[in-house]
Amino acid sequence: MDTILQKYLPERSVGPCLELIRQAGVHLKIVNERVTRHGDYRRMPDGRHQITVNATLNKYRFLITLVHEIAHLVAFEKYGRRIKPHGLEWKRTFQHLMLPFLRPEVFPSKLLPLLAKHFRNPKASSSTDANLSIALKQFDGPTYKNFVFELPLGSVFRIYNGKLFKKGNRRVKRYECVDMATGKLYLFQPNAEVELIKD
């Protein structure tokens, strides 16, 4: 497991992550990309705990996702199964588990202020924190995708399921985009990753 995790995690985080995995008694599966989530935790019918994390994540997002999912298990074990999945108990657990990793030996210095801000009140997904998501993207490999906020007004883009949208005006934080097939209006986060079709 040690050598496998070295491929996916920042070097100085491998040992502490292995210890977290052992303490939690969890089976970690690294899986092909799922567009709708970076990872998940579930309790299997036989009582075992399983966490899956997308193999395609960069090492910093992989670390955040792994600790996020372990925090679900730890919070459920400590506070019971009736807590909200991303409620106060989970947030406190996630903050506590993530704190030892928020160091320049693990994360690049330019990410640390954004991570410190994010972990004051962590969201259900790091992708909903637009500033952190954009900063983490620079560590991804080459990609053909763009953020919605980067696209010119009126451009047409495709999302993960093949649907086409036309970018409209910004409404407070999100962008109004029209489904080209139905004419329905949808709101997109500025950091939603899409494929530009024509501008």
Side-chain angles (χ1 to χ4, degrees):
M1 178 63 99
D2 187 327
T3 51
I4 293 169
L5 284 179
Q6 286 175 5
K7 179 180 171 187
Y8 295 102
L9 288 168
E11 183 183 345
R12 297 292 289 273
S13 70
V14 173
C17 281
L18 276 170
E19 189 56 31
L20 273 179
I21 290 166
R22 282 190 200 108
Q23 285 175 359
V26 72
H27 173 69
L28 172 64
K29 268 178 77 174
I30 300 169
V31 298
N32 292 329
E33 181 178 23
R34 293 158 301 178
V35 181
T36 55
R37 62 183 59 183
H38 297 310
D40 68 8
Y41 157 72
R42 62 178 66 149
R43 188 172 180 189
M44 306 306 279
D46 64 4
R48 288 182 307 127
H49 304 285
Q50 178 179 284
I51 286 174
T52 61
V53 181
N54 289 358
T56 54
L57 301 178
N58 71 51
K59 58 188 175 181
Y60 305 113
R61 196 180 291 277
F62 192 100
L63 172 57
I64 293 166
T65 303
L66 176 60
V67 177
H68 172 125
E69 301 306 338
I70 290 172
H72 281 302
L73 166 58
V74 172
F76 285 140
E77 296 281 306
K78 184 173 181 181
Y79 299 104
R81 294 252 157 213
R82 292 179 183 239
I83 62 170
K84 291 182 180 176
H86 296 106
L88 190 58
E89 298 87 354
W90 170 80
K91 288 180 188 226
R92 286 188 180 144
T93 305
F94 191 17
Q95 289 167 328
H96 174 75
L97 293 178
M98 199 64 202
L99 195 58
F101 297 104
L102 299 180
R103 305 184 338 239
E105 297 85 8
V106 176
F107 285 100
S109 295
K110 59 185 169 183
L111 282 180
L112 288 172
L114 294 167
L115 288 163
K117 185 175 181 187
H118 177 79
F119 280 100
R120 281 189 205 125
N121 185 18
K123 308 268 187 273
S125 169
S126 59
S127 291
T128 56
D129 182 336
N131 292 330
L132 179 58
S133 183
I134 291 163
L136 285 168
K137 185 175 175 17
Q138 67 188 301
F139 300 99
D140 290 346
T143 177
Y144 60 89
K145 293 185 177 178
N146 297 89
F147 289 124
V148 166
F149 82 87
E150 298 173 318
L151 305 179
L153 190 67
S155 58
V156 176
F157 62 88
R158 179 183 290 126
I159 64 171
Y160 68 93
N161 62 7
K163 288 186 176 185
L164 297 177
F165 290 85
K166 186 173 190 176
K167 180 181 173 183
N169 293 318
R170 187 174 179 142
R171 183 199 286 180
V172 189
K173 291 185 177 180
R174 297 184 286 177
Y175 287 90
E176 296 177 340
C177 300
V178 176
D179 183 326
M180 301 288 285
T182 66
K184 281 187 176 178
L185 188 68
Y186 290 86
L187 294 176
F188 277 77
Q189 293 282 3
N191 60 314
E193 290 187 83
V194 298
E195 179 186 354
L196 177 63
I197 303 301
K198 78 176 182 192
D199 47 12

